[in-house]
Amino acid sequence: MPTTMIAYVEQQQRLVSDGDAEPSDGGDAGQENIGAIDVTAAGDIALAARDFGGMVFIPPATLLRPSTTDDVVRAVCVARGSSRLTVAARGNGHSVGGQAMARGGVVLDMRDLGPPMELVRCGGVAADVPAGALWEEVLEWGVRNHGMAPTSWTDYLGLTVGGTLSNGGIGGQAFRHGPQVANVTELEVVTGDGERRVCSPSLCSDLFFAALGGLGQFGVITRARIPLVPAPKMVRWIRVVYKGFEEYAGDAEWLVTRADSEAFDYVEGFAFVNDVSDPVNGWGSVSILPGSVFDPAKIPAESEPILYCLELALHHNHRGAAGVDERAKEMMWPLRYMRGLVFAADVSYVDFLSRVGRAEEEARANGTWATPHPWLNILVSSSDIADFDRTVFKHILRRGVGGPMLVYPLLRSKLMHSTFLSLLFPGWDPRMSVAVPESEVFYLVALLRFIAPRAGDAALEEAVAQNREIIGCCRSKGYDYKVYIPRYESEADWARHFGRDWARFVERKRRYDPIAILAPGQTIFARAEPPAAAP
């Protein structure tokens, strides 16, 4: 696509290509040149009005594809000088409720942002990564070119670095290494006042921690410095089945609180329907390799409608190494899973981390990738998770959700050593903006719903109603919980979400984006008028 100069016409309150329109008074007063940034066709603007959730349609005035941080600065400055324009950064469009949209504003497609990834050495090895890079691209670049990789991953790697750092970035390695927001040592951020700032725990630290988990409210992340470690070659991938939640949760919590020398490298898990006829939520969802057989005779007759699968991984560097067999056996013998329902395979490290990509291929082939996805992610305290299981999994969701139902523990204050910072810091640093439960151990519950292509609006409405029922249940029962990747409509709900940190969140917004230009799709703050020019 050719690059086109774009300008903002204040009188008409819109962004136009040069030559497309004249100011309403026939002159050029009020025009501000943004610079050489791609202006997309109408079809691309329609694409920017949708996201993976597929439940809202919010068209922007235009979608821009910045290639440099300076392009981002120009777009923010033009919006700041207007009376109503807002700016939203869009990664790979994987939000589910319009969080990366800007009604009548500017959407920045961050995927073309440069410069390319670069290896840096500053007390340790790290990668300087543009915020629009996908985590799967970071993995391929790091392993292929340097034999190195980050330590903390999301399950799905088709997400951008800037996107997950703006929310949290949770996966099965988080119990050992913290979430992705705890595995970054420097950010470049364009704040709502149009300033380009480099920040870290020791430089502009308030902005650094504000941006991490800040939902895009304080600045557009344009670059991140991600620590790297030598990448293992292989992974022993294991799944075991439990009939009861008490044993499942007890074993999962025991595993994530072990010393690193005694711990698996990855711990996750999910609930599934005790049914052979459900190919998505039933027995077939447990096997690892094609052709693996799930033997229902191993399930006691008195088992309940919901069963649980604990998923584990152990890194190693030699296929079929006897030492790995012995270590895995030793680590698993105390666990209370149903013997005979064990699934295991040795796969490459890259293949293991890319496993959800294969599920994406299947979903695209059967049409469910293009249907609405009313996903719900909740962080629930360990003290409330058993009651949540009885109320939600065993009652509301006893027939499944048409997709994975993840449930596994995380640690709030896991202390980790940073080679770059030479200090210990908590996995969920309280200085970050991301909101988590008060409990030291809490669970990620991810209800990843896929609506069948021919299911119709009724299925979507039922799924959305179930999500509301689940949130209502959490609230009415007084659970210690937080919605992960939230979107609320009222200030009262946002204040409740952030709790005692709400005042800090509001103050940071005033400091870094005083007229609320950024991330309007989160519906937290309303766009204000620009400050009056000095006489």
Side-chain angles (χ1 to χ4, degrees), residues 312-391:
L312 311 168
L314 193 61
H315 297 166
H316 64 98
N317 289 316
H318 303 284
R319 184 185 300 273
V324 178
D325 296 335
E326 290 302 315
R327 187 179 176 204
K329 182 178 179 180
E330 179 182 354
M331 296 170 73
M332 291 182 63
W333 78 260
L335 304 183
R336 295 166 288 176
Y337 58 89
M338 289 189 279
R339 266 54 182 176
L341 289 175
V342 180
F343 303 85
D346 285 303
V347 298
S348 76
Y349 179 67
V350 171
D351 282 348
F352 174 74
L353 292 178
S354 306
R355 64 198 181 281
V356 178
R358 292 185 289 277
E360 176 186 352
E361 294 173 0
E362 295 175 5
R364 289 186 183 277
N366 64 33
T368 55
W369 197 258
T371 61
H373 304 97
W375 287 10
L376 177 63
N377 297 275
I378 318 174
L379 305 175
V380 182
S381 165
S382 62
S383 61
D384 297 315
I385 196 66
D387 191 67
F388 183 97
D389 169 68
R390 289 188 293 269
T391 305

Side-chain angles (χ1 to χ4, degrees), residues 194-218:
E195 293 291 327
R196 171 182 181 166
R197 306 184 191 188
V198 174
C199 53
S200 71
S202 59
L203 177 68
C204 299
S205 61
D206 184 70
L207 176 60
F208 177 78
F209 290 111
L212 294 172
L215 307 177
Q217 292 299 309
F218 312 113

Side-chain angles (χ1 to χ4, degrees), residues 482-504:
K482 299 292 182 184
V483 174
Y484 176 61
I485 315 180
R487 187 180 187 275
Y488 294 110
E489 297 291 342
S490 73
E491 180 177 324
D493 282 337
W494 281 111
R496 183 184 298 111
H497 174 77
F498 285 107
R500 63 174 179 268
D501 292 329
W502 173 240
R504 184 186 69 179

Side-chain angles (χ1 to χ4, degrees), residues 86-238:
T86 55
V87 176
R90 184 182 195 270
N92 207 23
H94 209 74
S95 58
V96 297
Q99 291 94 331
M101 298 181 188
R103 186 183 301 278
V106 180
V107 171
L108 303 177
D109 183 339
M110 304 294 285
R111 289 287 292 121
D112 291 337
L113 191 68
M117 284 178 267
E118 180 183 3
L119 196 72
V120 295
R121 299 180 187 275
C122 48
V125 181
D128 273 356
V129 180
L134 302 181
W135 283 102
E136 63 188 18
E137 294 168 344
V138 176
L139 174 65
E140 180 182 2
W141 174 86
V143 173
R144 176 178 294 180
N145 296 323
H146 306 287
M148 306 193 80
T151 57
S152 188
W153 300 93
T154 52
D155 289 338
Y156 178 57
L157 302 185
L159 307 174
T160 60
V161 169
T164 64
L165 294 181
S166 295
N167 287 279
I170 298 175
Q173 303 85 5
F175 78 97
R176 285 194 64 168
H177 303 289
Q180 289 179 326
V181 287
N183 287 273
V184 56
T185 60
E186 184 179 282
L187 296 173
E188 180 183 71
V189 179
V190 177
T191 51
D193 55 8
E195 293 291 327
R196 171 182 181 166
R197 306 184 191 188
V198 174
C199 53
S200 71
S202 59
L203 177 68
C204 299
S205 61
D206 184 70
L207 176 60
F208 177 78
F209 290 111
L212 294 172
L215 307 177
Q217 292 299 309
F218 312 113
V220 178
I221 297 173
T222 54
R223 180 182 60 80
R225 180 163 291 176
I226 310 295
L228 304 178
V229 298
K233 290 183 172 58
M234 301 294 295
V235 170
R236 172 67 54 86
W237 184 7
I238 304 166

